[in-house]
Amino acid sequence: MGAQLRVYKRRIKSVTATKKITKAMEMIAASRIVKAQRQVAASTPYATELTRAVTAVATGSTTKHPLTTEAETPTRAAVLLVTSDRGLAGGYSSNAIKAAERLTERLRGEGKEVDTYIVGRKGVAYYGFRERKVTDSWSGFTDSPTYADAKQVAAPLIAAVQQDTAEGGVDELHIVFTEFVSMLTQTPVQHRLLPLSLTPASAGAAEESTGTSAAAATGKSEILPLFDFEPSAEDVLDALLPRYVESRIYNALLQAAASKHAATRRAMKSATDNAGDLIKSLSRLANAARQAEITQEISEIVGGASALADATAGSEN
């Protein structure tokens, strides 16, 4: 029975050490979330306004730019998947990978070839283990991305969009990342970055920025504003659209970083709570083993005393 008690004590000591580690990781992740949230809040308005500016230029000119014009028969698409460099974050990376897999299947179902670009070691390891082709990959900065990292990721993607598909270029650019909604909710999402979708929502944003939404509200015929571009609309788009892609990728990296820290905090809190429950269970088992050991020792003492008393009485007779 003493050996069993020692086993319980060793396990309690081991789980207690693990609990200290997970608690420390939970606190570190919680502190990093605050910084990540501030970065997301600071970058989102810039990315939104830049999107409106690009939309306004695209809708206010008749220039057919390769980054805003839909291909008649798109045959190739690029998908940028944002995962994490590290684990211990629950289903964070796996959920993003599943979303990218669904998007890839849909694009292939539309008859398009897909070039995969990956940010994060988890995504690279997933595709590498399954021997799937990855056009390019980046890692080492997912916990705290910078704008320079976003420019590094955006450069080959912009070049691929500007290149002819016959030479290895793509017609579309999609991004899959985990959007930070709250401390408890992080949702994998996918967006098409290029060609820029001039949807009603984006057109409404452009109208708001140019002051033409009132005409649409009154139901009168809308008079679109005329823009003068210097040196030309194409040159303006050439300058704006790379910044647009970089800002959107940077915002996605920040959203993903905040989501990863929140997922890590939640996973580590769950691990800490489970370790506490396991320690309580092992403590009860250790107490039961100790009580059983004490009871056995008492029984042996009582039995020995009874046997000694019987032997003494027999000798007196």
Coordinates of all heavy atoms in Angstrom, one line a residue, residues 19-82:
K19 N 0.4 22.4 -13.9 CA -0.6 23.5 -13.6 C 0.1 24.8 -13.5 O -0.4 25.8 -14.0 CB -1.3 23.2 -12.3 CG -2.4 24.2 -12.0 CD -3.1 23.8 -10.7 CE -4.1 24.9 -10.3 NZ -4.8 24.6 -9.0
K20 N 1.3 24.9 -12.9 CA 2.0 26.2 -12.8 C 2.4 26.7 -14.1 O 2.3 27.9 -14.4 CB 3.2 26.0 -11.9 CG 2.9 25.8 -10.4 CD 4.2 25.6 -9.6 CE 3.9 25.3 -8.1 NZ 5.1 25.1 -7.3
I21 N 2.8 25.7 -15.0 CA 3.2 26.1 -16.4 C 2.1 26.7 -17.2 O 2.1 27.7 -17.8 CB 3.9 24.9 -17.1 CG1 5.2 24.6 -16.4 CG2 4.2 25.3 -18.5 CD1 5.8 23.3 -16.9
T22 N 0.9 25.9 -17.2 CA -0.2 26.3 -17.9 C -0.8 27.6 -17.4 O -1.3 28.5 -18.2 CB -1.3 25.3 -17.9 OG1 -1.7 24.9 -16.5 CG2 -0.8 24.0 -18.6
K23 N -0.7 27.8 -16.1 CA -1.2 29.1 -15.5 C -0.4 30.3 -16.0 O -0.9 31.4 -16.3 CB -1.2 29.0 -14.0 CG -1.8 30.2 -13.3 CD -3.2 30.4 -13.6 CE -3.8 31.6 -12.8 NZ -5.2 31.9 -13.1
A24 N 1.0 30.1 -16.0 CA 1.9 31.1 -16.5 C 1.6 31.4 -17.9 O 1.6 32.6 -18.4 CB 3.3 30.7 -16.3
M25 N 1.4 30.4 -18.8 CA 1.1 30.6 -20.2 C -0.2 31.3 -20.4 O -0.3 32.1 -21.3 CB 1.1 29.2 -20.9 CG 2.5 28.6 -20.9 SD 2.5 27.0 -21.8 CE 2.2 27.6 -23.5
E26 N -1.2 31.0 -19.6 CA -2.5 31.7 -19.6 C -2.3 33.2 -19.3 O -2.9 34.0 -20.1 CB -3.4 31.1 -18.6 CG -4.8 31.8 -18.5 CD -5.6 31.3 -17.4 OE1 -5.3 30.3 -16.8 OE2 -6.7 32.0 -17.1
M27 N -1.5 33.5 -18.3 CA -1.3 34.9 -18.0 C -0.5 35.7 -19.1 O -0.8 36.8 -19.4 CB -0.6 35.0 -16.6 CG -1.4 34.5 -15.5 SD -0.4 34.5 -13.9 CE -0.2 36.2 -13.7
I28 N 0.5 35.0 -19.7 CA 1.3 35.6 -20.8 C 0.4 35.9 -22.0 O 0.4 36.9 -22.6 CB 2.4 34.7 -21.2 CG1 3.5 34.6 -20.0 CG2 3.1 35.2 -22.4 CD1 4.5 33.6 -20.2
A29 N -0.5 34.9 -22.3 CA -1.4 35.1 -23.5 C -2.4 36.2 -23.2 O -2.7 37.0 -24.1 CB -2.1 33.8 -23.7
A30 N -2.9 36.3 -21.9 CA -3.8 37.4 -21.6 C -3.1 38.7 -21.8 O -3.8 39.7 -22.2 CB -4.3 37.2 -20.2
S31 N -1.9 38.8 -21.4 CA -1.2 40.1 -21.5 C -0.9 40.5 -23.0 O -1.0 41.7 -23.3 CB 0.1 40.1 -20.7 OG 1.0 39.2 -21.3
R32 N -0.7 39.5 -23.8 CA -0.4 39.7 -25.2 C -1.7 40.1 -26.0 O -1.7 40.8 -27.0 CB 0.2 38.5 -25.9 CG 1.7 38.3 -25.4 CD 2.2 37.0 -26.0 NE 3.6 36.9 -25.7 CZ 4.4 35.8 -26.0 NH1 3.8 34.8 -26.7 NH2 5.6 35.7 -25.7
I33 N -2.9 39.6 -25.5 CA -4.1 39.9 -26.2 C -4.4 41.4 -26.2 O -4.8 42.0 -27.1 CB -5.3 39.2 -25.5 CG1 -5.2 37.7 -25.8 CG2 -6.6 39.7 -26.0 CD1 -6.2 36.9 -25.0
V34 N -4.1 42.1 -25.0 CA -4.3 43.5 -24.9 C -3.6 44.3 -26.0 O -4.1 45.2 -26.7 CB -3.9 44.0 -23.5 CG1 -4.1 45.5 -23.4 CG2 -4.8 43.3 -22.5
K35 N -2.3 44.0 -26.2 CA -1.5 44.6 -27.2 C -2.0 44.3 -28.6 O -2.1 45.2 -29.4 CB 0.0 44.2 -27.0 CG 0.9 44.8 -28.1 CD 2.3 44.3 -27.9 CE 3.3 45.0 -29.0 NZ 4.7 44.5 -28.8
A36 N -2.3 43.1 -28.8 CA -2.8 42.7 -30.1 C -4.2 43.4 -30.5 O -4.4 43.8 -31.6 CB -3.0 41.2 -30.2
Q37 N -5.0 43.5 -29.5 CA -6.3 44.2 -29.7 C -6.1 45.7 -30.1 O -6.8 46.2 -30.9 CB -7.2 44.1 -28.4 CG -7.9 42.8 -28.2 CD -8.7 42.8 -27.0 OE1 -8.3 42.9 -25.9 NE2 -10.0 42.6 -27.2
R38 N -5.1 46.3 -29.4 CA -4.8 47.7 -29.7 C -4.3 47.8 -31.1 O -4.7 48.8 -31.9 CB -3.8 48.2 -28.7 CG -4.3 48.4 -27.3 CD -3.2 48.8 -26.4 NE -3.7 48.9 -25.0 CZ -2.9 49.1 -23.9 NH1 -1.5 49.2 -24.1 NH2 -3.4 49.2 -22.7
Q39 N -3.5 46.9 -31.6 CA -2.9 47.0 -32.9 C -4.1 46.7 -33.9 O -4.1 47.4 -35.0 CB -1.8 45.9 -33.1 CG -0.6 46.2 -32.3 CD 0.5 45.1 -32.5 OE1 0.2 44.0 -32.5 NE2 1.7 45.6 -32.7
V40 N -5.0 45.8 -33.7 CA -6.1 45.6 -34.6 C -7.0 46.8 -34.7 O -7.4 47.3 -35.7 CB -6.9 44.4 -34.1 CG1 -8.2 44.3 -34.9 CG2 -6.2 43.1 -34.2
A41 N -7.3 47.4 -33.5 CA -8.1 48.7 -33.5 C -7.4 49.8 -34.2 O -8.1 50.6 -34.8 CB -8.4 49.1 -32.0
A42 N -6.1 49.9 -34.2 CA -5.4 50.9 -34.9 C -5.3 50.7 -36.4 O -5.3 51.7 -37.2 CB -4.0 51.1 -34.3
S43 N -5.2 49.5 -36.8 CA -5.0 49.2 -38.2 C -6.3 49.1 -39.0 O -6.3 49.4 -40.2 CB -4.2 47.9 -38.4 OG -5.0 46.8 -38.0
T44 N -7.4 48.7 -38.3 CA -8.6 48.5 -39.1 C -9.2 49.7 -39.7 O -9.6 49.7 -40.9 CB -9.7 47.9 -38.1 OG1 -9.2 46.6 -37.6 CG2 -11.0 47.7 -38.8
P45 N -9.2 50.9 -39.1 CA -9.7 52.1 -39.8 C -8.9 52.5 -41.0 O -9.4 52.9 -42.0 CB -9.6 53.2 -38.7 CG -9.6 52.5 -37.4 CD -8.9 51.2 -37.6
Y46 N -7.6 52.3 -40.9 CA -6.7 52.6 -42.0 C -7.0 51.7 -43.2 O -7.1 52.1 -44.3 CB -5.2 52.4 -41.6 CG -4.3 52.6 -42.7 CD1 -3.9 53.9 -43.2 CD2 -3.7 51.5 -43.4 CE1 -3.0 54.0 -44.3 CE2 -2.8 51.6 -44.4 CZ -2.5 52.9 -44.9 OH -1.6 53.0 -45.9
A47 N -7.1 50.4 -42.9 CA -7.5 49.4 -44.0 C -8.8 49.7 -44.6 O -9.0 49.6 -45.8 CB -7.4 48.0 -43.4
T48 N -9.8 50.1 -43.7 CA -11.1 50.4 -44.2 C -11.2 51.6 -45.1 O -11.8 51.6 -46.2 CB -12.1 50.6 -43.0 OG1 -12.1 49.4 -42.2 CG2 -13.5 50.8 -43.5
E49 N -10.5 52.6 -44.7 CA -10.5 53.9 -45.5 C -9.7 53.7 -46.8 O -10.1 54.3 -47.8 CB -9.9 55.0 -44.6 CG -10.8 55.5 -43.5 CD -12.2 55.9 -43.9 OE1 -12.3 56.5 -45.0 OE2 -13.1 55.6 -43.2
L50 N -8.6 52.9 -46.7 CA -7.9 52.7 -47.9 C -8.7 51.9 -48.9 O -8.7 52.1 -50.1 CB -6.6 51.9 -47.6 CG -5.6 51.8 -48.8 CD1 -5.3 53.1 -49.4 CD2 -4.3 51.1 -48.3
T51 N -9.5 50.9 -48.4 CA -10.4 50.2 -49.3 C -11.4 51.1 -49.9 O -11.7 51.0 -51.1 CB -11.1 49.1 -48.5 OG1 -10.2 48.2 -47.9 CG2 -12.1 48.3 -49.4
R52 N -12.0 52.1 -49.2 CA -12.9 53.0 -49.7 C -12.2 53.9 -50.8 O -12.9 54.2 -51.8 CB -13.5 53.9 -48.6 CG -14.4 53.2 -47.7 CD -15.0 54.2 -46.6 NE -15.9 53.6 -45.8 CZ -16.6 54.2 -44.8 NH1 -16.4 55.5 -44.7 NH2 -17.5 53.6 -44.1
A53 N -11.0 54.3 -50.5 CA -10.3 55.1 -51.5 C -10.1 54.4 -52.8 O -10.3 54.9 -53.9 CB -9.0 55.6 -50.9
V54 N -9.7 53.1 -52.7 CA -9.5 52.3 -53.9 C -10.8 52.1 -54.7 O -10.8 52.2 -55.9 CB -8.8 51.0 -53.6 CG1 -8.7 50.1 -54.8 CG2 -7.4 51.2 -53.0
T55 N -11.8 51.9 -53.9 CA -13.2 51.7 -54.5 C -13.6 52.9 -55.2 O -14.2 52.9 -56.3 CB -14.2 51.3 -53.4 OG1 -13.7 50.1 -52.8 CG2 -15.5 51.0 -54.1
A56 N -13.4 54.1 -54.6 CA -13.8 55.3 -55.2 C -13.0 55.6 -56.5 O -13.6 56.0 -57.5 CB -13.5 56.5 -54.2
V57 N -11.7 55.3 -56.5 CA -11.0 55.4 -57.7 C -11.4 54.5 -58.8 O -11.6 54.8 -60.0 CB -9.5 55.2 -57.4 CG1 -8.7 55.3 -58.7 CG2 -9.0 56.3 -56.5
A58 N -11.7 53.2 -58.4 CA -12.1 52.2 -59.4 C -13.5 52.5 -60.0 O -13.7 52.4 -61.2 CB -12.2 50.8 -58.7
T59 N -14.4 53.1 -59.1 CA -15.8 53.4 -59.6 C -15.8 54.7 -60.3 O -16.7 55.0 -61.1 CB -16.8 53.4 -58.5 OG1 -16.3 54.3 -57.5 CG2 -16.9 52.0 -57.9
G60 N -14.8 55.6 -60.0 CA -14.9 56.9 -60.6 C -14.1 57.0 -61.9 O -13.9 58.1 -62.4
S61 N -13.5 55.9 -62.4 CA -12.7 56.0 -63.6 C -13.2 54.9 -64.5 O -13.8 53.9 -64.1 CB -11.3 55.8 -63.3 OG -11.0 54.5 -62.9
T62 N -12.9 55.0 -65.8 CA -13.3 54.0 -66.8 C -12.1 53.2 -67.2 O -12.2 52.4 -68.1 CB -13.8 54.7 -68.1 OG1 -12.8 55.6 -68.6 CG2 -15.1 55.5 -67.7
T63 N -11.0 53.3 -66.4 CA -9.8 52.5 -66.7 C -10.0 51.1 -66.3 O -10.4 50.8 -65.2 CB -8.6 53.1 -66.0 OG1 -8.4 54.5 -66.4 CG2 -7.3 52.3 -66.3
K64 N -9.6 50.2 -67.2 CA -9.7 48.8 -66.9 C -8.3 48.3 -66.4 O -7.4 48.1 -67.2 CB -10.1 48.0 -68.2 CG -11.5 48.2 -68.6 CD -11.9 47.2 -69.7 CE -13.3 47.4 -70.1 NZ -14.2 47.0 -69.0
H65 N -8.2 48.3 -65.1 CA -7.0 48.0 -64.5 C -7.0 46.5 -64.1 O -8.0 45.9 -63.7 CB -6.8 48.8 -63.2 CG -5.4 48.7 -62.6 ND1 -5.0 47.7 -61.8 CD2 -4.4 49.6 -62.8 CE1 -3.7 47.9 -61.5 NE2 -3.3 49.1 -62.0
P66 N -5.8 45.8 -64.3 CA -5.8 44.3 -64.1 C -6.1 43.9 -62.6 O -6.6 42.8 -62.4 CB -4.4 43.9 -64.4 CG -3.6 45.2 -64.4 CD -4.5 46.3 -64.8
L67 N -6.0 44.9 -61.7 CA -6.3 44.5 -60.3 C -7.7 44.8 -59.9 O -8.1 44.5 -58.8 CB -5.3 45.3 -59.4 CG -3.8 45.0 -59.6 CD1 -3.0 45.7 -58.6 CD2 -3.5 43.5 -59.6
T68 N -8.5 45.4 -60.8 CA -9.9 45.7 -60.5 C -10.8 45.1 -61.5 O -12.0 45.2 -61.3 CB -10.1 47.2 -60.4 OG1 -9.7 47.8 -61.6 CG2 -9.3 47.8 -59.2
T69 N -10.3 44.6 -62.5 CA -11.1 44.0 -63.6 C -11.2 42.5 -63.5 O -10.2 41.8 -63.4 CB -10.6 44.4 -65.0 OG1 -10.4 45.9 -65.1 CG2 -11.5 44.0 -66.1
E70 N -12.4 42.0 -63.6 CA -12.7 40.6 -63.5 C -12.2 39.9 -64.8 O -12.5 40.5 -65.9 CB -14.2 40.3 -63.3 CG -14.7 40.7 -62.0 CD -14.5 39.7 -60.9 OE1 -14.0 38.6 -61.2 OE2 -14.8 40.0 -59.7
A71 N -11.5 38.8 -64.7 CA -11.2 38.1 -65.9 C -12.4 37.4 -66.5 O -13.3 37.0 -65.8 CB -10.1 37.0 -65.6
E72 N -12.5 37.4 -67.8 CA -13.6 36.8 -68.5 C -13.8 35.3 -68.1 O -14.9 34.8 -67.8 CB -13.5 37.0 -70.0 CG -13.6 38.4 -70.4 CD -13.5 38.5 -72.0 OE1 -13.5 37.5 -72.6 OE2 -13.6 39.7 -72.5
T73 N -12.7 34.6 -68.1 CA -12.7 33.2 -67.8 C -11.5 32.9 -66.8 O -10.5 32.5 -67.2 CB -12.6 32.3 -69.0 OG1 -11.4 32.6 -69.7 CG2 -13.8 32.4 -69.9
P74 N -11.7 33.2 -65.5 CA -10.6 33.0 -64.5 C -10.3 31.5 -64.4 O -11.1 30.7 -64.3 CB -11.2 33.5 -63.2 CG -12.7 33.5 -63.4 CD -12.9 33.7 -64.9
T75 N -9.0 31.3 -64.5 CA -8.5 29.9 -64.5 C -7.6 29.6 -63.3 O -7.3 28.4 -63.1 CB -7.8 29.5 -65.8 OG1 -6.7 30.4 -66.0 CG2 -8.7 29.7 -67.0
R76 N -7.1 30.6 -62.6 CA -6.1 30.3 -61.6 C -6.4 31.3 -60.4 O -6.7 32.5 -60.7 CB -4.7 30.5 -62.2 CG -3.6 29.8 -61.3 CD -2.3 30.0 -62.0 NE -1.3 29.2 -61.4 CZ -1.0 28.0 -61.7 NH1 -1.7 27.4 -62.7 NH2 0.0 27.3 -61.1
A77 N -6.3 30.8 -59.2 CA -6.5 31.6 -58.0 C -5.4 31.3 -57.0 O -4.8 30.2 -56.9 CB -7.9 31.3 -57.4
A78 N -5.1 32.3 -56.2 CA -4.1 32.2 -55.1 C -4.9 32.3 -53.8 O -5.7 33.1 -53.6 CB -3.0 33.3 -55.2
V79 N -4.5 31.4 -52.9 CA -5.1 31.4 -51.6 C -4.0 31.6 -50.5 O -3.1 30.8 -50.5 CB -5.9 30.1 -51.3 CG1 -6.4 30.0 -49.9 CG2 -7.0 29.9 -52.3
L80 N -4.1 32.6 -49.7 CA -3.2 32.9 -48.6 C -3.8 32.4 -47.3 O -4.9 32.9 -46.9 CB -2.9 34.4 -48.5 CG -2.0 34.8 -47.3 CD1 -0.6 34.1 -47.4 CD2 -1.9 36.3 -47.3
L81 N -3.2 31.4 -46.7 CA -3.7 30.8 -45.4 C -2.9 31.3 -44.3 O -1.6 31.2 -44.3 CB -3.7 29.3 -45.5 CG -3.9 28.5 -44.2 CD1 -5.3 28.8 -43.6 CD2 -3.7 27.1 -44.4
V82 N -3.5 31.9 -43.3 CA -2.8 32.4 -42.1 C -3.0 31.4 -40.9 O -4.2 31.3 -40.5 CB -3.2 33.8 -41.7 CG1 -2.5 34.3 -40.5 CG2 -3.0 34.8 -42.9

